[in-house]
């Protein structure tokens, strides 16, 4: 406890500046098989490439990324992780493409020797479908997570349009008065 000149008692907790300023983005990579499933393997590779590409951007923003590699190997694990489709990438707990599509994944069908088809995720990006997510799609998702959703300039713009500022209202009030008096100013 530290006492300041005005006799106010304040608790001071020392925290390293790096701890205070560092933000963390959590990336969960959930998959059924990252050895035989071509989509899971390709998604993991695309994610690694995307993380490498955004590394120079994150450092000056004081953002770190934690990647959790989650092999969903049982029905209980699928329920616990709420895995709806494989592979899945979640950033800060949210699926980066919640409106997913699926189709037959031959490598997963061969892996489990299941009767019928096993469907895996199709990624859609800029009007096309992919069996693995395009690196550019992943980079964009990671950057959105690393950069705050609303910059101060966005706040200023919203504030400006919440109501017309007095100086703008005055301009139009003065213009209306000038028109009424026949003034051509």
């Amino acid at each position: 406890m530290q006492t300041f000149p005005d006799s106010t008692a304040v608790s001071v907790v020392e925290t390293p500046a790096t701890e205070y300023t560092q933000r963390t983005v959590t990336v969960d990579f959930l998959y059924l098989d990252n050895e035989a499933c071509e989509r899971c393997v390709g998604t993991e590779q695309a994610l690694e490439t995307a993380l490498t590409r955004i590394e120079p951007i994150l450092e000056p923003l004081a953002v770190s990324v934690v990647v959790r590699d989650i092999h969903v190997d049982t029905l209980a694990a699928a329920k616990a992780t709420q895995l709806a489709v494989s592979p899945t990438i979640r950033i800060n707990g949210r699926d980066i493409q919640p409106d997913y599509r699926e189709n037959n994944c031959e490598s997963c069908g061969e892996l489990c020797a299941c009767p019928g088809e096993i469907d895996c995720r199709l990624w859609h990006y800029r009007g096309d479908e992919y069996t693995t997510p395009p690196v550019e799609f992943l980079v964009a998702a990671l950057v959105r997570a690393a950069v705050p959703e609303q910059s101060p300039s966005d706040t200023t713009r919203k504030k400006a349009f919440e109501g017309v500022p007095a100086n703008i209202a005055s301009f139009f009030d003065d213009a209306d008065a000038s028109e009424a008096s026949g003034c051509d100013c």
Side-chain angles (χ1 to χ4, degrees), residues 74-122:
T74 65
L75 182 57
K79 288 178 182 177
T81 59
Q82 299 177 351
L83 181 66
V85 63
S86 178
T88 290
I89 296 175
R90 293 181 185 149
I91 298 179
N92 294 332
R94 294 182 179 191
D95 191 325
I96 63 170
Q97 193 162 76
D99 57 333
Y100 62 87
R101 297 180 190 128
E102 298 172 281
N103 76 349
N104 180 36
C105 178
E106 291 178 19
S107 57
C108 279
E110 291 171 10
L111 181 67
C112 74
C114 306
E117 296 179 348
I118 298 295
D119 290 342
C120 285
R121 183 188 291 261
L122 280 176

Side-chain angles (χ1 to χ4, degrees), residues 63-81:
V63 175
S64 64
V65 176
V66 173
V67 178
R68 299 189 301 189
D69 191 74
I70 304 169
H71 180 200
V72 181
D73 58 351
T74 65
L75 182 57
K79 288 178 182 177
T81 59

Side-chain angles (χ1 to χ4, degrees), residues 161-181:
F161 288 103
E162 287 176 358
V164 177
N167 65 327
I168 301 295
S170 175
F171 172 84
F172 288 108
D173 287 345
D174 290 345
D176 291 342
S178 296
E179 276 184 33
S181 69

